Each structure stands twice: as C-alpha cells, then as structure tokens.
Amino acid sequence: MVELKSDASLVRIYQGELVGFEVEGHQFIHQKGSPGWRSSDTEMFPIIGPVDQAGFRVQVPRNNAIQDQHGLLRELPYVLISESQNEAVYVKEYRAGTPVENSKYPEKSTKQHLEWPYGFQFEKSFSLKENQLEITFKISGEQGMPFMLGYHPAFKLQTQHPTIVTPTRTISLDEVIEVGSRALQVADTTSITLKDKHHITIQTEGFGHFMCWTEVRNMVCIEPITFYPYAVEQREIHLGFDCLDGDHRIFKVALHPKPQKS
C-alpha cells in the first residue's frame, strides 16, 4: 500500500489502483468489498466497451486484434517506479503480439488469451497537491498505434438522491441506473461535479467525454473517455480509435473535492 499525504488529505494506492481519497475525514472513493463493483478504479485500453458480438476481434491496420471488454491493459500488473510523500508513479509495459491471460475466460469469455499487435508503455502517476488529486496517464509506443482510453473510477455515495452536474445538464442517479450496463453517455464534456453529501469535481484534459455507470445506490462510476463505445456496432468499434501521433500522449484527470455539506 502506498500513501500520499497532505495536511487534510490522504490518498491510498494499492498496486496502481486508487483505493482511497480522503479529505477532512470524508472518503470519496468506493471501497473494495462494498456492493456494486469489486474494484475502485481501473483503465480501459486500448479499447473501450464490449466486443463479444464481434467475436472478440477488433479491426486495426495490422489485421485483427483479439480483445475482450475494455481491452487487455487491466490484465497486466503495474510496477511502482517512484514514490514520494505526495507523488507515486506506476508503469505497465506490453510487447507487441504477446498473449495475455484473459481473466474472463472461461466463465464470461470464449477467448483464453488476448493480443494486441502494437507494443506500448502505459504510465499512471498520482500527484497530491493540497486537497486536489491529479492522475496523469502517459501512453508511449509506436507512432500511428490506434487506441481508445477510458479511466474508470468509482465514487462512494452517502445520500439517496445525488446528482451529476455538467455545464449543460443535471443527471439523477436513477437516470444512470436506468441505462444499465451500456453506461450513460455524457458527450463533449471536460468537467463534471458529483453532488452528494460532499461535492467532488472531475476535470479532464485529452479525453473529451464521459460515461456514467452503476447498478446500485451506494456508488457511481464517472468515467472520462475518448470515445463512447455504444455509438457504433461492435464490429465497427474501430471507428472510435484515436492515433498515437508522436512517441507519446498525455491525458489528465483532476479530482477537486469540496468536503462541505451540499
């Protein structure tokens, strides 16, 4: 367990997963073991969304890639490469074409191994600045590599009727639950505020969109994404790819809490 501390904040990270962000005694992050989801955060890369109806194959310039829901990155372990009182940096590396064990096999998938025809390095860093937590993703790899990126954090809820507020709309928890497993699309947005007993604002750079998901009332996932996967049929998921136009790309998520009663 890695802990980052400031006067009023405590961040806890376990093997690259954000398992706690506590400000003035209030916990903002969904706790592992609580109902709703077994994790507290993860990443979706190099694809977002399901591909079972497409035979677990994704079209890329180098033929087809074998992927499962949300990509293969989550199957790789993070390695801690640096740590200080207010910063921690983790990395995952993948060599092109290497088979990766699929944890969904055989109960939820017919593919035992996943593969991607491009090598990459995926760096995830946490930086605690006063009461703000900044999470930065650096993707390095071959120029021209197609990819999608999504960050999938889960936030703990303490009231029955929290709201998710964007610059143009207010979304109820019931609306998110009603959409179900597809996740509610929030397009063309770089900032969202979750208004619960306490408020927290999620600001992003590089993503451009969000989607929201939950099936319970004690947590909600507010997920920055580069592409909403249900905008196309699964066999056309490649239409949502971005491209690595240099040797790396940077994406950022900043969590701004307001630990006072709403």
Side-chain angles (χ1 to χ4, degrees):
M1 187 72 68
V2 171
E3 293 187 347
L4 312 181
K5 297 179 181 179
S6 70
D7 290 341
S9 301
L10 173 63
V11 174
R12 299 172 72 242
I13 308 158
Y14 180 68
Q15 297 180 348
E17 182 179 6
L18 177 64
V19 296
F21 182 29
E22 189 174 315
V23 181
E24 296 179 4
H26 179 80
Q27 179 60 257
F28 284 97
I29 300 301
H30 168 70
Q31 297 298 283
K32 296 167 74 70
S34 297
W37 190 38
R38 65 180 180 179
S39 301
S40 56
D41 90 343
T42 192
E43 290 76 52
M44 301 173 282
F45 180 88
I47 66 158
I48 303 171
V51 287
D52 54 312
Q53 295 176 22
F56 300 97
R57 294 184 179 275
V58 178
Q59 182 180 328
V60 294
R62 295 179 182 174
N63 202 4
N64 286 325
I66 301 173
Q67 295 289 293
D68 211 320
Q69 180 161 335
H70 297 327
L72 58 68
L73 183 75
R74 59 181 58 193
E75 306 290 1
L76 306 175
Y78 271 117
V79 175
L80 177 64
I81 59 173
S82 69
E83 175 187 356
S84 66
Q85 181 177 340
N86 54 19
E87 187 173 74
V89 182
Y90 295 81
V91 70
K92 294 184 179 186
E93 294 191 7
Y94 178 76
R95 187 176 64 183
T98 303
V100 174
E101 288 284 341
N102 183 9
S103 61
K104 293 181 177 292
Y105 175 86
E107 288 81 7
K108 297 181 179 180
S109 176
T110 60
K111 296 296 181 182
Q112 184 175 1
H113 297 96
L114 309 176
E115 293 184 15
W116 186 244
Y118 302 86
F120 61 80
Q121 182 183 81
F122 190 95
E123 184 178 287
K124 180 182 185 182
S125 63
F126 299 87
S127 180
L128 181 59
K129 303 174 180 179
E130 296 181 353
N131 291 335
Q132 171 186 319
L133 177 61
E134 186 174 279
I135 305 161
T136 301
F137 304 99
K138 180 180 178 181
I139 300 170
S140 305
E142 303 174 51
Q143 186 167 347
M145 179 182 73
F147 71 92
M148 304 171 199
L149 174 63
Y151 178 47
H152 193 311
F155 297 93
K156 183 178 181 179
L157 299 176
Q158 295 194 2
T159 68
Q160 284 297 304
H161 301 287
T163 56
I164 297 166
V165 180
T166 81
T168 59
R169 64 190 288 202
T170 296
I171 302 163
S172 70
L173 186 64
D174 288 329
E175 289 178 78
V176 178
I177 292 174
E178 185 177 351
V179 174
S181 61
R182 290 174 66 90
L184 178 72
Q185 181 182 18
V186 186
D188 303 317
T189 302
T190 59
S191 179
I192 277 182
T193 298
L194 172 61
K195 294 187 175 182
D196 190 39
K197 183 179 180 180
H198 303 272
H199 298 180
I200 187 166
T201 297
I202 302 99
Q203 293 183 325
T204 68
E205 294 180 22
F207 289 92
H209 315 281
F210 285 87
M211 61 185 185
C212 302
W213 169 81
T214 190
E215 297 177 351
V216 296
R217 304 199 73 89
N218 62 282
M219 57 146 266
V220 64
C221 296
I222 300 176
E223 309 167 34
I225 54 175
T226 58
F227 176 70
Y228 180 67
Y230 300 100
V232 297
E233 298 292 332
Q234 288 189 18
R235 65 180 180 276
E236 296 180 337
I237 195 82
H238 61 279
L239 298 177
F241 277 132
D242 201 343
C243 246
L244 195 62
D245 50 10
D247 61 357
H248 72 272
R249 287 277 295 275
I250 300 290
F251 298 82
K252 294 184 178 182
V253 177
L255 305 182
H256 300 271
K258 296 180 180 178
Q260 74 273 359
K261 290 186 177 180
S262 55

